[in-house]
Amino acid sequence: MGNNKSVFTVEELQDYEELTYLTRKEILLAWKRWEDLVGKAGFKNKTTRHPEEIIQELPELKYNPFKERITYVFSSAKDRQMGFDDFLDLLSVMSDKAPLQLKAFYAFHIFDFNGDHMLDGEDLEYIVDSLTGNEKLLPEEKNQLVDKLLKEVDLDGGGISQEEFKHLLTKCPDFVHSFRFSV
């Protein structure tokens, strides 16, 4: 671990601590995980961006049906690549210390597949398909589920807004515990 400390200046570590929900120790562990993911070529320069497929090999993402959306949402340049700062943002939001409001913000954007700032029937169908995998629902079953979700959560009939989504998550105490992984 001694080598990891030399990668960062004291100021960089302080900045990372101030800008994330991670401790200094967690930041250094994140760097070790980053090195393991991107290989030796990637850690000579902390600003090097790597293809999302490399980041998706992270055990917590590897089998997640939303891994492409997660890496896309956390990619600061939206270029299907991530740098170490993006990786730290991901780990910070997924940490136990990140507040519900922040987790809800990112979860909403992960599920907003069409990017229209609403979770509508199209987004919900994609979510259901992603979650059911090979166990595809019949079209009428999927439509019933999507309609029920919209009826229960969409208060104004215009699709599920970020605020409606956050409100829904306040009623789901398991969300904070399931939308996380540790460094």
Side-chain angles (χ1 to χ4, degrees):
M1 194 77 116
N3 290 342
N4 285 344
K5 290 183 182 176
S6 66
V7 172
F8 302 101
T9 66
V10 171
E11 292 80 18
E12 284 176 315
L13 281 172
Q14 287 172 338
D15 287 347
Y16 283 140
E17 282 182 289
E18 289 175 13
L19 296 171
T20 68
Y21 292 96
L22 303 174
T23 65
R24 184 173 297 225
K25 181 179 179 182
E26 290 170 325
I27 293 162
L28 294 171
L29 287 171
W31 178 253
K32 174 75 173 105
R33 290 191 80 185
W34 179 253
E35 284 181 328
D36 292 345
L37 277 174
V38 302
K40 298 299 177 195
F43 69 84
K44 290 184 171 50
N45 179 345
K46 291 187 285 286
T47 60
T48 302
R49 300 179 63 71
H50 299 277
E52 67 182 0
E53 294 81 15
I54 293 172
I55 312 311
Q56 291 166 3
E57 288 299 311
L58 190 68
E60 294 86 348
L61 293 177
K62 191 170 190 163
Y63 300 105
N64 188 311
F66 304 106
K67 66 184 176 189
E68 288 88 8
R69 284 295 300 168
I70 292 169
T71 53
Y72 177 77
V73 166
F74 282 93
S75 169
S76 57
K78 303 296 184 241
D79 60 356
R80 300 284 181 200
Q81 296 189 31
M82 290 181 77
F84 181 68
D85 286 356
D86 299 328
F87 184 66
L88 267 188
D89 288 342
L90 169 63
L91 294 179
S92 179
V93 170
M94 294 297 184
S95 78
D96 287 334
K97 293 172 269 189
L100 171 65
Q101 297 298 324
L102 183 65
K103 289 179 178 289
F105 173 85
Y106 279 96
F108 180 87
H109 288 285
I110 289 166
F111 296 145
D112 183 16
F113 290 93
N114 60 18
D116 65 357
H117 306 290
M118 286 289 186
L119 299 184
D120 53 22
E122 182 182 341
D123 295 315
L124 295 176
E125 283 182 26
Y126 197 85
I127 292 167
V128 169
D129 286 343
S130 296
L131 290 173
T132 57
N134 293 333
E135 305 297 320
K136 297 288 183 195
L137 297 174
L138 296 172
E140 57 272 4
E141 294 172 320
K142 183 168 51 173
N143 289 340
Q144 283 179 336
L145 181 56
V146 167
D147 290 344
K148 179 131 176 95
L149 283 167
L150 285 171
K151 183 179 177 188
E152 294 291 324
V153 182
D154 181 11
L155 302 176
D156 61 7
I160 300 169
S161 69
Q162 250 186 0
E163 287 307 311
E164 289 168 329
F165 185 73
K166 285 179 190 176
H167 179 72
L168 168 68
L169 294 182
T170 62
K171 297 176 186 247
C172 302
D174 289 343
F175 171 74
V176 172
H177 302 294
S178 61
F179 197 76
R180 69 170 181 85
F181 48 81
S182 53
V183 179

